Amino acid sequence: MATAKPTPTDSLSFCLAQLTAAAGEGLGGVKDTATNETPLGRALLALRTRHVKAAGGIERFRARGGLLPLLALLRRASAAGPAPSQAGSGSAPSPVESAAIAGPAPSSDPAPAAASSSSPSPPARLRKTLDLALSILANCCTEEACRAEVRRLGGIIPLVTILQCVKTDSIQNRTARALGNLAMEPESCGSIHSAGAVPLLIESLTACQDSQCLQSVVRALRNLADSPQHRLSLAQQGAVRPLAELLAAAPDPALTLALVRALLELSRGCSRACAEQLSLGGGLGPLVSLASHPKKAVREAAILILANLCAQGLVRPALGNAGGVEVLLGELQRRRGPSGAGPASQQPLVRAVCLLCREAINRARLRDAGGLELLMGLLRDPRASTWHPRVVAALVGFLYDTGALGRLQALGLVPLLAGQLCGEAGDEEEEGREAASWDFPEEQTPERAEARSFRSLRSWLISEGYAAGPGDISPDWSPERCPVSEPAEPASPARSPAVRMPRPLRTPGRSPAAAEEPWGREGPALLLLSRFSQAPDPSGALVTGPALCGLLAYVTGAPGPPSPRALRILARLTCNPACLEAFVRSYGAALLRAWLVLGVAPDDWPALRTRTTGLRGQHRELGEMLLQNLTVQAESPFGVGALTHLLLSGSPEDRVACALTLPFICRKPSLWRRLLLDQGGLRLLLSALTRPVPHPLFLFFAADSLSCLHGLVSPAASPALAPAIPLDLGHPSPCLYEPLLGPAPLPAPDLHFLLDSGLRLPAQRAASSTASPFFRALLAGSFAEAQMDLVPLRGLSPSAAWPILHHLHGCRGCGAALGPIPPPGQPLLGSEAEEALEAAGRFLLPGLEQELEEAVGRVHLGPQGGPESVGEVFRLGRPRLAAHCAQWTLGPGQCPRKRALALVGLVEAAGEEAGPLTEALLAVVMGVELGSRGPSLDC
């Protein structure tokens, strides 16, 4: 096959020369009679179809300087004068137009066809030249270097001029496409806005009938919305409403996709103007319908547009009427499902659903569509923690919806709210005033308008000398501007919380009555908790471990003074008789005392955490006030009946909780004696110590409760129990055994005891026989040892034998009993102290046993001993030492933490044998000697 004959247009140089000549001389030229074309037309067609579309062709065209004459040609064309109006609907789009779609890819259409002659149009040669030149420029602007070059050469102004002057669809299409490609650069985008292209593009939206032209214009507007300022400018110039009207006209699929993409970009950070125009243009209904479009890109764009529109309160009711609530809820539920998308894709939908809760009509739709369950699921999800503050604020909208509140309470909202009080602040941005509820639209009145009554009042104050001038009096002081105070909450029988709060600072020009309660990030959660606490019986929701822990953690851990609303919630709960049993069952009263009065939070047990104590006194005062409220309820006829029923007929766990709580909330001796002593509550509590604990702080509560009861039974220190350190270590008694140990003993020993180690200890037979019945029988009876001068003592170490020899020779308090006692921190079981105590019992030396026990108490239960030593001493199994351990644990003035740690050690040492521990604690609480007859405490 013969090769095609080369033509001059195959050369890029020839084409550039023709382009340069035309740019310098004009758009005309001598027409070739054979082809009916000018050399410029052939050059432009070759550039467009061959040179620019070739691989690297755009870069070569730019490097050879082709953009400069091309833009000069467009300038000459734009200066040729305004064109007639746009061609009518009968104009047929050329093949070039059909290929000029919204994407930046180069066009591949053949030469443009002639426009319809049904209406005036530019000269055919000029229109063809513009078609080709604009197509070349649009294709070149798909590359970044060319866009920068066009901007540098000032090519934007000619394009805007052509857009204004030449109203042919094909020209408008290619001009909009070139502007859309240029708008991909932020610098060019600003220049296009400054050049005034936006109104012309908006005009094209309403004038053009061709779908391809409309797609190019829509794409140009979308690319021009590259920043919040530009989006706001487009909306204020009216770019949104024509787009919405086109969408409502049910266009073809390609144009529909272009429209939803443009509206999605324009609705980011949705402005009031954008929302108004989209609503007025009838775009809400079509967007809701497109949310179920089979094409994913259209469907997701429509859903995100609806989510963006929720930022404007004025459009949310109409959006709900159009079905937007169900659409957004359904999409969020789908994305949160097992096969859903990640948290990033859920964020705009979560924000939209929360904003929809601000209007009553949408709240009803959201509640009926399962929105409450969805919001509760978000609160339970730790991965959604950054959205929790927003969700809680949205739930405030249901504050007066009794049915919704009941449903939320059943779903477990209260403990989640309590946990939110001390949680970390989310990263969500604050909503503007335009996102406020549209149930109360703002009145468009002049700001700070002064009423006639205020002007009269101001004139009188100035005339009487109470004010120096008009500037001294704020219009906010007028009756018309008095702030509406919060509805009074139910008064409690007890006084208000006594925690002193700093006085709110007065703002200049504001009335003191206008000072509002602090509203921090915890404000929504506290408002909902306050609403729940005003129910007739809030105990099931609020008087629980998680809810009380959350409230107390906020009150004691807030960086500044806590909100007065939290204090009112606690006061309201403790003053409600319906909550009394719940405070008992949940150990709430014990928790209030431990956390507020004693300053020990659950996190502080058993390991102590470092805390700031600046408000410690105020917390103690609050705790005492709350316990006093519970005391009022407990000592009322209703409370007495409730506690008696709980103690006698409740479950085993409830009976133990009641016995533990009674010392905290009962001050009438007749009441606590009857319930704890006569009806066996105390022994019930003691028997529960060695069973599995029903509460993490049970042993701490029990130690505090037994100590309080000990103080109620014995207000003064009981003299019946011997102190743990009865002897004075500073003045020991003289040692009577020491003279036998010298080189010249006086009197001389007539007996030696032989130990297993071979050590011989001197002794007096008469003194040893007198001190103990065992040694009397051994040394003065019929046994062989009575005739021996060297008597063996088996199973006795020197350290254990030393206090025995001293005691046999009359030493009392000489310090020999301290010899076998190990220092604190070392175990007593298996030590020489235990051996000495066992030997003292074996040799029938009760006085020595008591002295050794007192020595153990002095060392391990004295000032240098700690709570960990109490269990070690108890393990020796000595009743008197057990009594000393109980006295050390429950004695007055003991640190609450040490007391509780000592009780833990006692329980661990007692193991399954609870009897000795129970008897020892019972004797200390009742103030009687262990083993003596006290009051009957049988159940």
Side-chain angles (χ1 to χ4, degrees):
M1 180 182 295
T3 59
K5 182 179 180 181
T7 62
T9 56
D10 293 338
S11 170
L12 178 61
S13 300
F14 172 80
C15 295
L16 291 176
Q18 294 296 324
L19 184 61
T20 303
E25 298 176 1
L27 302 178
V30 180
K31 181 182 292 188
D32 189 342
T33 56
T35 61
N36 198 29
E37 291 181 351
T38 63
L40 174 61
R42 293 197 304 272
L44 289 174
L45 184 61
L47 285 172
R48 182 183 173 282
T49 57
R50 293 198 295 272
H51 297 293
V52 172
K53 287 197 172 183
I58 295 177
E59 177 59 26
R60 286 193 297 271
F61 181 76
R62 183 190 66 81
R64 297 282 296 272
L67 289 175
L68 181 61
L70 182 64
L71 292 174
L73 183 66
L74 291 176
R75 287 192 187 93
R76 283 185 171 275
S78 63
S85 59
Q86 181 181 344
S89 58
S91 65
S94 68
V96 177
E97 297 169 47
S98 63
I101 59 174
S107 172
S108 58
D109 51 340
S116 171
S117 58
S118 59
S119 62
S121 62
R125 186 180 302 176
L126 175 61
R127 191 181 72 82
K128 184 176 181 179
T129 300
L130 282 176
D131 268 334
L132 291 171
L134 288 170
S135 180
I136 295 170
L137 180 62
N139 288 340
C140 289
C141 288
T142 58
E143 293 193 357
E144 181 179 357
C146 287
R147 290 195 292 268
E149 181 79 6
V150 170
R151 184 178 68 254
R152 185 182 65 82
L153 295 174
I156 294 176
I157 298 298
L159 292 175
V160 175
T161 305
I162 292 173
L163 195 66
Q164 179 182 11
C165 297
V166 185
K167 297 300 182 180
T168 305
D169 281 359
S170 62
I171 304 298
Q172 295 274 305
N173 177 16
R174 287 174 172 79
T175 307
R177 179 169 169 260
L179 289 173
N181 288 346
L182 285 169
M184 296 170 66
E185 297 289 335
E187 296 82 358
S188 299
C189 189
S191 300
I192 294 172
H193 275 275
S194 301
V198 172
L200 301 175
L201 291 171
I202 296 173
E203 181 184 348
S204 298
L205 284 177
T206 58
C208 290
Q209 301 295 325
D210 179 61
S211 176
Q212 295 293 338
C213 179
L214 289 174
Q215 290 179 52
S216 297
V217 174
V218 170
R219 175 180 174 270
L221 290 173
R222 172 169 62 86
N223 289 347
L224 287 172
D226 66 327
S227 66
Q229 295 81 7
H230 288 161
R231 286 193 287 271
L232 179 61
S233 174
L234 286 167
Q236 291 175 344
Q237 294 181 70
V240 179
R241 184 165 183 173
L243 296 175
E245 292 172 346
L246 282 174
L247 189 66
D252 59 82
L255 182 55
T256 298
L257 177 60
L259 287 169
V260 294
R261 292 181 65 190
L263 287 173
L264 175 60
E265 197 65 35
L266 286 166
S267 65
R268 296 188 191 278
C270 187
S271 63
R272 187 186 184 104
C274 175
E276 285 180 340
Q277 292 181 42
L278 205 152
S279 179
L280 293 174
L284 296 181
L287 286 173
V288 172
S289 300
L290 290 174
S292 57
H293 196 276
K295 193 170 183 179
K296 181 180 179 181
V298 176
R299 181 174 64 251
E300 292 188 349
I303 291 172
L304 289 178
I305 294 170
L306 295 175
N308 293 341
L309 287 173
C310 291
Q312 289 295 326
L314 65 93
V315 80
R316 285 197 297 264
L319 181 61
N321 291 333
V325 174
E326 292 78 8
V327 166
L328 293 173
L329 272 179
E331 180 64 17
L332 181 56
Q333 289 170 344
R334 186 191 67 79
R335 295 190 183 187
R336 287 189 55 78
S339 59
S345 67
Q346 301 174 25
Q347 192 273 338
L349 297 176
V350 172
R351 174 173 176 263
V353 169
C354 292
L355 289 171
L356 286 171
C357 294
R358 299 191 175 188
E359 286 76 35
I361 187 172
N362 289 332
R363 286 197 296 271
R365 292 189 176 94
L366 186 139
R367 182 189 58 210
D368 297 339
L372 297 180
E373 289 77 6
L374 178 62
L375 293 175
M376 288 297 298
L378 288 170
L379 280 180
R380 293 192 190 97
D381 189 357
R383 298 171 300 175
S385 58
T386 56
W387 307 330
H388 288 173
R390 183 186 291 278
V391 174
V392 173
L395 292 177
V396 172
F398 297 93
L399 196 63
Y400 298 104
D401 188 339
T402 307
L405 285 181
R407 180 61 180 156
L408 290 171
Q409 180 176 333
L411 292 172
L413 175 62
V414 171
L416 295 176
L417 290 176
Q420 289 292 313
L421 294 179
C422 293
E424 296 294 332
D427 298 330
E428 296 286 335
E429 60 182 7
E430 294 291 333
E431 302 292 348
R433 293 179 58 187
E434 295 176 343
S437 172
W438 201 243
D439 288 346
F440 308 99
E442 298 178 1
E443 297 181 3
Q444 302 297 326
T445 56
E447 199 168 334
R448 299 188 63 82
E450 297 179 358
R452 178 184 300 179
S453 60
F454 171 71
R455 291 196 296 268
S456 302
L457 174 64
R458 183 173 61 184
S459 301
W460 181 83
L461 290 173
I462 295 174
S463 64
E464 296 295 326
Y466 292 109
D472 291 349
I473 308 169
S474 170
D476 289 338
W477 293 355
S478 65
E480 288 79 1
R481 286 189 171 254
C482 284
V484 179
S485 60
E486 182 183 352
E489 297 180 342
S492 59
R495 60 189 177 91
S496 59
V499 172
R500 294 181 296 275
M501 307 302 295
R503 295 181 180 178
L505 297 178
R506 290 183 56 182
T507 305
R510 297 286 293 176
S511 167
E516 299 178 353
E517 285 190 359
W519 184 266
R521 63 169 302 277
E522 72 282 356
L526 283 176
L527 190 59
L528 284 167
L529 290 174
S530 178
R531 181 70 174 87
F532 283 117
S533 71
Q534 296 174 29
D537 184 5
S539 59
L542 279 166
V543 189
T544 62
L548 291 177
C549 284
L551 284 169
L552 293 178
Y554 166 71
V555 169
T556 58
S563 170
R565 181 172 282 113
L567 310 183
R568 291 198 299 271
I569 293 172
L570 290 171
R572 190 179 300 119
L573 294 175
T574 54
C575 291
N576 191 336
C579 297
L580 178 62
E581 289 191 33
F583 269 106
V584 174
R585 287 192 178 96
S586 65
Y587 297 91
L591 183 66
L592 291 176
R593 175 174 165 83
W595 205 325
L596 296 176
V597 179
L598 302 180
V600 178
D603 292 341
D604 295 335
W605 174 258
L608 180 64
R609 293 194 313 168
T610 303
R611 290 179 178 270
T612 57
T613 58
L615 302 176
R616 183 72 187 84
Q618 298 179 6
H619 296 159
R620 177 187 293 272
E621 189 177 354
L622 172 64
E624 292 173 350
M625 184 274 298
L626 296 177
L627 289 175
Q628 180 61 33
N629 292 346
L630 290 174
T631 300
V632 171
Q633 305 306 320
E635 295 178 350
S636 66
F638 169 82
V640 172
L643 294 176
T644 303
H645 174 78
L646 201 61
L647 184 64
L648 299 181
S649 305
S651 65
E653 295 80 7
D654 292 346
R655 297 175 65 198
V656 171
C658 183
L660 185 145
T661 306
L662 281 171
F664 301 140
I665 61 175
C666 290
R667 291 294 181 264
K668 288 183 178 180
S670 60
L671 179 58
W672 60 259
R673 283 186 181 277
R674 177 167 60 86
L675 294 177
L676 291 175
L677 305 185
D678 300 341
Q679 297 178 356
L682 175 57
R683 189 172 288 277
L684 183 67
L685 172 60
L686 293 175
S687 63
L689 295 177
T690 55
R691 294 199 292 265
V693 295
H695 191 280
L697 272 72
F698 177 76
L699 291 178
F700 184 93
F701 296 159
D704 189 28
S705 176
L706 292 173
S707 177
C708 288
L709 182 59
H710 179 42
L712 292 174
V713 175
S714 304
S718 173
L721 282 176
I725 312 173
L727 299 179
D728 189 359
L729 293 177
H731 300 85
S733 302
C735 181
L736 302 179
Y737 180 64
E738 187 175 356
L740 295 176
L741 302 176
L746 187 68
D750 58 358
L751 176 69
H752 284 82
F753 290 110
L754 178 64
L755 305 181
D756 293 341
S757 63
L759 179 64
R760 297 185 180 190
L761 295 177
Q764 288 286 333
R765 187 179 297 271
S768 300
S769 300
T770 305
S772 166
F774 175 86
F775 284 101
R776 184 183 307 118
L778 181 68
L779 301 177
S782 59
F783 293 101
E785 286 82 357
Q787 307 301 323
M788 299 171 57
D789 294 334
L790 185 63
V791 178
L793 290 179
R794 304 298 182 188
L796 202 61
S797 66
S799 297
W802 190 256
I804 293 176
L805 269 295
H806 277 262
H807 188 81
L808 291 176
H809 291 81
C811 291
R812 301 294 184 270
C814 69
L818 295 173
I821 310 301
Q826 295 187 10
L828 287 170
L829 285 181
S831 68
E832 295 172 345
E834 184 185 19
E835 183 184 355
L837 284 167
E838 187 273 334
R842 176 157 52 99
F843 296 148
L844 304 179
L845 298 171
L848 178 59
E849 282 189 85
Q850 183 176 357
E851 189 175 353
L852 287 171
E853 289 172 353
E854 291 172 354
V856 170
R858 284 199 297 270
V859 174
H860 287 266
L861 301 178
Q864 295 182 352
E868 64 278 354
S869 300
V870 177
E872 285 294 324
V873 174
F874 186 83
R875 283 187 174 90
L876 293 175
R878 301 282 168 166
R880 277 189 296 266
L881 286 179
H884 286 324
C885 292
Q887 178 66 26
W888 191 96
T889 302
L890 303 181
Q894 188 62 271
C895 170
R897 285 183 50 81
K898 291 183 178 180
R899 176 185 296 121
L901 290 172
L903 183 61
V904 171
L906 288 175
V907 172
E908 293 176 353
E912 297 181 358
E913 296 293 331
L917 176 60
T918 300
E919 296 302 324
L921 293 173
L922 185 60
V924 172
V925 171
M926 299 305 301
V928 298
E929 283 278 6
L930 187 62
S932 65
R933 293 185 60 84
S936 176
L937 299 179
D938 293 336
C939 296

